Amino acid sequence: MKKVKFSLFVFISLVVAFSAPTICISGAAAGDGSDPFRLVTDKPIVFYAQKAAPDKTPAMQSGEGSTKASPTTPFLADLHKEKKLDCSSCHGKKTTVDDNETVVNKKCIECHGSPDKLAEKSKHGVNPHKSHLGNINCTTCHHGHTASWTYCLSCHSFDMKIPAGAVAAELPRAKKSEPVAEIPKGIKTQKTDVVVIGAGAAGFTAAISAHDKGAKVILLEKQPITGGNSMLAAGGMNAAETSFQKAKGIKDSIELMYEDTMKGGKNLSDPELVKVLAKDSAGSVEWLIKLGADLSDVGRMGGASVNRTHRPSGGSAVGAHLIEVLRKNAEQRKIDVRVNSKVIKILEDKKGRVIGVLVEGKHSGLYRILAKAVVNAAGGFSANPEKVAYYRPEFKGMSTSNQPGATGDGMDIGADAGGQLKDMKEIQIHPTVAAGSRILITEAVRGNGAILVNREGKRFVNELTTRDAASAAILAQTGKSAYMILDEGIRKSLKQIDGYFHLNLVVEGDTVKGLAEKLKVPADALEATIEAYNKAYDQKNDPEFKRPDIPRPIRTPKYYAIEIMPGVHYTMGGLKINTKAQVIGKDGVPIQGFYAAGEVTGGVHGANRLGGNSISETITFGRIAGENAAKSAKQTRAKAK
Ligand code: MEZ
């Protein structure tokens, strides 16, 4: 009987780990007149564990209303002990745990099966072991010595059960700063050629590029999983003059991509950086294809004059796919990738040259890596509400489409190392985040034909205008939200739309009238709106809103609606860089040994980023930063000889 019960527990619990206590978040001192909502030293987030009988599977619920931990609450380690499993069953012979929790994860899989295998057994609608996060560590969610907590709930609100799980979590809050402690004497020190901070698309690209130029690389990620915000990128990657465009007969040019980007950014962008973005974009697509990516589908995003947004065939989300490809390539190259590893300081020598980083590992604690060059690819701060409100008080309380690690600490440590920050007030609101959630409804749905209507059943904006203009138009409507309307034809044109059905975000009707009734909008108005749109499609002319491209009409039942509202999506500001991806110091001179790429930088997107330009930037500037960091490391090595 006991055996049966334990197998049942094993089956339900799926994967178990003995990781050390708490994920951490930090708060530390500005001291230099910069914003006070910066994150440097760590404070624990408290997860409350549910009181549960050892044999029962505790229910995990997301949301507010925390329940205090009971001193009798079992964690997974306790449950294992009850089954007469000792520490070595999870930890092996040694009890030291590295920050990747390598041994524990290996042991989990040995006993319980791989996440893929577990996913096959899952009977849940939303499968906790198969998601856009890809192949992640078991210990991302399953903890041995603290309450387990489903990482998905950082963004979603599924009622997802997890063994020995928390019932509620205190969400990470940015704390007012405290000074960073002095580097302890005799601190453990490692050496490498290049350190890359942040394992999103820019970080992986820089790491792979530096490695391929002969450098020894360590890639550090503070979150328990790699992928960063790039993992969530939906719509695609902009590039001009690509082989895919040519094959489809799309006439584009580097100059046109440059002009669209400058115009979209209200001419605040650094023209030299935009030139590089446009000129190298096709090369970046080719680079990804060589690594094994599929970017053969080409669609359109707001502010683009032609179709130049590249994504996997069928219109799957670009980010999860690219991160899978980049992870695989880093693994094949045996690049040292470390999760749960937060850089809290960039180290400089007396002359201000960057010489390494101070890291706080979840298990290894504080240690130092001396490097010949550092690439900062730590991302933006859309998920730091205090910081967003500090720069833009009018955005206070708005939801975000970003993952929880997008807190902007990379900008803080970069500025502490002498880097100049620019355009910090330029924060982008994405017009279509599903109402009441953090789920981005990709611009590609509008690009493929969907329209926006208000509660009166009327269109009110050119759906392919820039994000700032579309967001402002939505916020001016009754209820400050709108409905995105599409039909079966549009649904079939873009695979990622199926995900919105899976997440229960879609209202559907067999007819336009039926849909209108469900939405409680006037049916005759909605019917007239769709009729006028279909006429605009037929005549290739949208007289009222001047939408530049209508690829499909809305006339194939069923009809669908998703309620959307604007949410914080992207921070255009950050560390100032030059075309070599060198970080520019406060004196206007490049800081030796210091490079940056991706959302942590400012200057590429000016006052408004065009959809599809983010992934483009991460790959193009990630490659430049990685290659130049490797070159700089080589020169430093040669000088030292
Ligand atoms: O670049 C983006 O932010 C993007 C393409 C978003 C989206 O709507 O899919």
Side-chain angles (χ1 to χ4, degrees):
M1 180 62 190
K2 228 176 177 177
K3 207 169 174 187
V4 172
K5 262 193 189 168
F6 182 56
S7 315
L8 187 64
F9 164 71
V10 168
F11 175 70
I12 297 168
S13 70
L14 306 174
V15 186
V16 179
F18 280 67
S19 62
T22 58
I23 299 168
C24 293
I25 188 115
S26 32
D32 59 355
S34 61
D35 86 85
F37 296 107
R38 23 194 336 211
L39 310 176
V40 182
T41 57
D42 280 24
K43 299 259 187 298
I45 302 167
V46 182
F47 291 137
Y48 294 111
Q50 177 173 319
K51 196 173 173 180
D55 278 335
K56 294 207 177 117
T57 307
M60 169 70 203
Q61 294 155 7
S62 69
E64 301 81 46
S66 50
T67 302
K68 283 271 178 207
S70 153
T72 58
T73 299
F75 296 131
L76 287 179
D78 304 313
L79 295 176
H80 278 66
K81 255 189 247 160
E82 278 169 25
K83 305 298 168 193
K84 307 273 182 280
L85 293 167
D86 64 10
C87 305
S88 70
S89 61
C90 291
H91 290 291
K93 286 205 180 101
K94 286 188 194 158
T95 47
T96 48
V97 182
D98 68 65
D99 295 326
N100 286 330
E101 299 164 339
T102 315
V103 174
V104 181
N105 281 290
K106 197 166 153 252
K107 293 277 178 188
C108 287
I109 291 171
E110 273 171 21
C111 284
H112 302 282
S114 68
D116 282 348
K117 284 273 169 285
L118 292 164
E120 281 169 20
K121 291 185 197 165
S122 174
K123 293 186 177 62
H124 303 290
V126 177
N127 191 331
H129 292 102
K130 193 176 176 62
S131 77
H132 61 106
L133 300 184
N135 200 1
I136 61 173
N137 280 345
C138 311
T139 51
T140 305
C141 304
H142 301 277
H143 306 260
H145 303 287
T146 57
S148 294
W149 190 72
T150 316
Y151 197 75
C152 307
L153 301 180
S154 311
C155 298
H156 299 276
S157 54
F158 308 132
D159 183 12
M160 199 176 259
K161 293 181 187 351
I162 188 166
V167 283
E170 269 183 16
L171 288 175
R173 313 267 355 133
K175 296 264 166 45
K176 211 169 173 213
S177 13
E178 295 159 13
V180 183
E182 275 199 4
I183 299 174
K185 288 216 167 67
I187 188 169
K188 198 172 78 186
T189 301
Q190 301 176 355
K191 287 188 182 170
T192 192
D193 292 331
V194 175
V195 162
V196 180
I197 309 168
F204 267 117
T205 300
I208 291 169
S209 303
H211 169 277
D212 290 358
K213 287 282 172 199
K216 190 174 162 210
V217 183
I218 298 176
L219 173 56
L220 300 167
E221 169 57 52
K222 68 175 179 177
Q223 292 297 106
I225 63 170
T226 58
N229 244 21
S230 313
M231 169 84 96
L232 308 185
M237 167 175 176
N238 287 348
E241 298 186 22
T242 67
S243 53
F244 299 108
Q245 284 178 312
K246 281 175 198 153
K248 289 179 193 329
I250 300 164
K251 288 203 172 58
D252 195 5
S253 70
I254 289 165
E255 292 71 31
L256 193 55
M257 180 167 168
Y258 169 83
E259 279 162 24
D260 286 345
T261 303
M262 288 303 292
K263 186 173 163 210
K266 303 190 169 112
N267 290 312
L268 188 71
S269 309
D270 176 337
E272 295 310 312
L273 296 180
V274 179
K275 273 181 205 161
V276 173
L277 179 82
K279 182 174 69 58
D280 289 3
S281 61
S284 289
V285 166
E286 286 308 312
W287 184 80
L288 285 167
I289 299 303
K290 280 201 190 110
L291 295 190
D294 167 16
L295 292 167
S296 54
D297 189 86
V298 188
R300 175 146 0 169
M301 294 280 153
S305 300
V306 297
N307 286 20
R308 68 164 70 98
T309 309
H310 295 67
R311 51 193 173 225
S313 63
S316 300
V318 73
H321 169 63
L322 290 187
I323 290 298
E324 195 191 341
V325 168
L326 292 168
R327 275 180 187 157
K328 218 178 261 172
N329 275 273
E331 208 177 303
Q332 282 162 358
R333 288 164 172 79
K334 298 193 171 36
I335 292 175
D336 184 348
V337 182
R338 303 177 189 177
V339 293
N340 297 313
S341 301
K342 183 178 164 76
V343 173
I344 59 172
K345 193 170 172 55
I346 292 169
L347 305 172
E348 303 151 73
D349 67 11
K350 287 198 180 104
K351 289 186 186 149
R353 190 198 150 84
V354 164
I355 53 161
V357 293
L358 186 63
V359 189
E360 190 159 70
K362 178 178 173 188
H363 301 284
S364 54
L366 216 56
Y367 67 100
R368 176 169 58 174
I369 306 176
L370 295 179
K372 297 179 184 72
V374 170
V375 179
N376 188 340
F381 64 89
S382 292
N384 185 339
E386 286 86 355
K387 202 167 179 124
V388 167
Y390 172 80
Y391 287 111
R392 297 293 290 269
E394 71 272 31
F395 297 159
K396 192 169 177 199
M398 233 181 210
S399 90
T400 177
S401 61
N402 280 213
Q403 55 92 22
T407 49
D409 20 340
M411 292 174 194
D412 297 337
I413 54 174
D416 282 347
Q420 208 183 116
L421 292 173
K422 76 185 298 284
D423 303 339
M424 293 297 281
K425 283 194 161 68
E426 304 303 339
I427 295 174
Q428 181 172 78
I429 304 304
H430 193 294
T432 60
V433 178
S437 85
R438 290 173 75 157
I439 316 301
L440 184 81
I441 306 301
T442 174
E443 201 171 313
V445 187
R446 280 173 284 146
N448 280 18
I451 56 170
L452 295 173
V453 302
N454 58 21
R455 284 182 166 67
E456 290 73 44
K458 295 190 173 151
R459 277 178 80 203
F460 53 89
V461 72
N462 156 19
E463 291 84 3
L464 297 187
T465 185
T466 51
R467 290 174 176 179
D468 53 345
S471 297
I474 293 164
L475 291 172
Q477 305 307 308
T478 315
K480 296 186 187 324
S481 72
Y483 295 110
M484 189 183 285
I485 306 286
L486 53 143
D487 69 351
E488 190 61 21
I490 296 169
R491 177 188 180 169
K492 287 218 175 91
S493 74
L494 197 73
K495 264 190 202 153
Q496 46 194 305
I497 295 176
D498 289 342
Y500 310 141
F501 283 84
H502 191 58
L503 295 171
N504 277 331
L505 299 172
V506 187
V507 177
E508 49 184 80
D510 290 331
T511 58
V512 173
K513 188 166 180 245
L515 181 66
E517 279 162 7
K518 284 198 184 157
L519 297 177
K520 297 191 173 36
V521 305
D524 45 356
L526 188 61
E527 280 174 335
T529 296
I530 290 176
E531 207 179 303
Y533 181 72
N534 290 341
K535 193 169 160 201
Y537 165 79
D538 292 336
Q539 298 182 344
K540 295 196 173 14
N541 177 30
D542 178 25
E544 201 175 352
F545 298 103
K546 308 271 179 291
R547 178 176 165 138
D549 182 52
I550 303 181
R552 288 169 192 82
I554 299 180
R555 54 170 68 121
T556 310
K558 293 180 172 180
Y559 298 92
Y560 305 113
I562 303 173
E563 188 184 354
I564 51 83
M565 60 195 340
V568 181
H569 182 58
Y570 192 87
T571 49
M572 272 78 68
L575 294 166
K576 185 175 160 91
I577 55 165
N578 62 16
T579 54
K580 293 180 180 156
Q582 288 178 292
V583 176
I584 306 300
K586 291 179 181 116
D587 55 2
V589 175
I591 300 173
Q592 294 308 300
F594 193 17
Y595 300 84
E599 197 174 348
V600 78
T601 69
V604 177
H605 309 292
N608 181 59
R609 178 175 67 76
L610 293 186
N613 268 355
S614 173
I615 287 291
S616 194
E617 174 197 16
T618 58
I619 307 301
T620 290
F621 285 93
R623 291 171 68 206
I624 295 172
E627 287 179 9
N628 286 333
K631 216 184 279 173
S632 161
K634 205 168 173 184
Q635 282 161 1
T636 311
R637 246 190 342 246
K639 264 191 220 157
K641 275 185 189 159

